[in-house]
Amino acid sequence: MTLDKIDIRILSELQKNGRITNVELAELVYLSPSPCLMRVKKLQAEGYITGYAAQIDVSKLGQSLMVFTEITLKNHRQIDFARFLAAMEKIDQVIECHLVSGGYDFLVKFVTAGISDYQLIMESLVERDIGIDKYFSFVILKSPIVKTHLPLASILPDD
């Protein structure tokens, strides 16, 4: 499926408000409701839209800690990466895990109740011997810019 400008507008609007009605969405993208709904269903079927979720203000829930952790593995075989990722998937406090290039292997984002909880998780991971060679932690003090939408118009080629 090749996306056209209307598909891009639909995706952009749904990123801003996933709870928008089909009628409202159709108006914003200059379609009638029926073709708009057909396009949304096709975007879902093709995997462009993977789901809808509420955005939660973590600070309203009480004390929490966000940490970015750079992790380097001891070995770099496929099985080592798979073992590490399997362990990460089982940890609720891991909200992002990225395989990256550069001086380390993974960048992992944790959300925990506090520094002691984070420390317990990291100690447990090291003790489980899932291949961690070293890790560096970066506690997030403040997040002045957090965007939940992709800049679709600037990352997709023009038609």
Side-chain angles (χ1 to χ4, degrees):
M1 172 180 182
T2 302
L3 300 180
D4 62 18
K5 291 182 189 226
I6 294 172
D7 294 323
I8 303 294
R9 284 198 305 261
I10 288 170
L11 291 173
S12 293
E13 292 301 329
L14 286 174
Q15 282 186 123
K16 293 177 196 170
N17 182 4
R19 294 177 54 144
I20 192 171
T21 68
N22 183 58
V23 172
E24 293 169 325
L25 178 61
E27 287 177 14
L28 289 171
V29 300
Y30 310 109
L31 285 178
S32 58
S34 182
C36 182
L37 184 59
M38 288 174 40
R39 282 180 180 253
V40 170
K41 289 184 184 255
K42 188 168 186 177
L43 289 165
Q44 290 171 338
E46 294 288 329
Y48 288 96
I49 299 171
T50 59
Y52 299 88
Q55 296 169 7
I56 309 296
D57 183 349
V58 178
S59 68
K60 299 242 185 226
L61 301 175
Q63 186 174 345
S64 65
L65 179 76
M66 280 195 254
V67 182
F68 283 113
T69 307
E70 297 174 350
I71 297 175
T72 303
L73 300 182
K74 293 175 188 170
N75 298 301
H76 295 93
R77 300 168 299 184
Q78 192 68 28
I79 194 167
D80 300 309
F81 288 101
R83 182 177 61 220
F84 175 80
L85 288 172
M88 291 294 104
E89 286 177 352
K90 293 177 185 171
I91 300 170
D92 288 339
Q93 294 88 343
V94 171
I95 61 168
E96 294 179 22
C97 180
H98 306 275
L99 177 63
V100 296
S101 64
Y104 52 95
D105 299 314
F106 289 95
L107 180 62
V108 182
K109 186 176 182 181
F110 291 86
V111 176
T112 68
I115 195 72
S116 59
D117 290 332
Y118 171 73
Q119 183 179 357
L120 287 172
I121 292 167
M122 291 311 298
E123 287 172 358
S124 169
L125 288 172
V126 171
E127 287 174 12
R128 285 174 49 198
D129 194 29
I130 58 167
I132 296 175
D133 182 33
K134 59 186 172 184
Y135 68 93
F136 297 97
S137 306
F138 301 89
V139 173
I140 299 172
L141 301 175
K142 191 176 189 180
S143 298
I145 299 173
V146 175
K147 296 180 181 179
T148 59
H149 58 277
L150 301 172
L152 296 179
S154 63
I155 62 173
L156 296 171
D158 291 329
D159 287 341

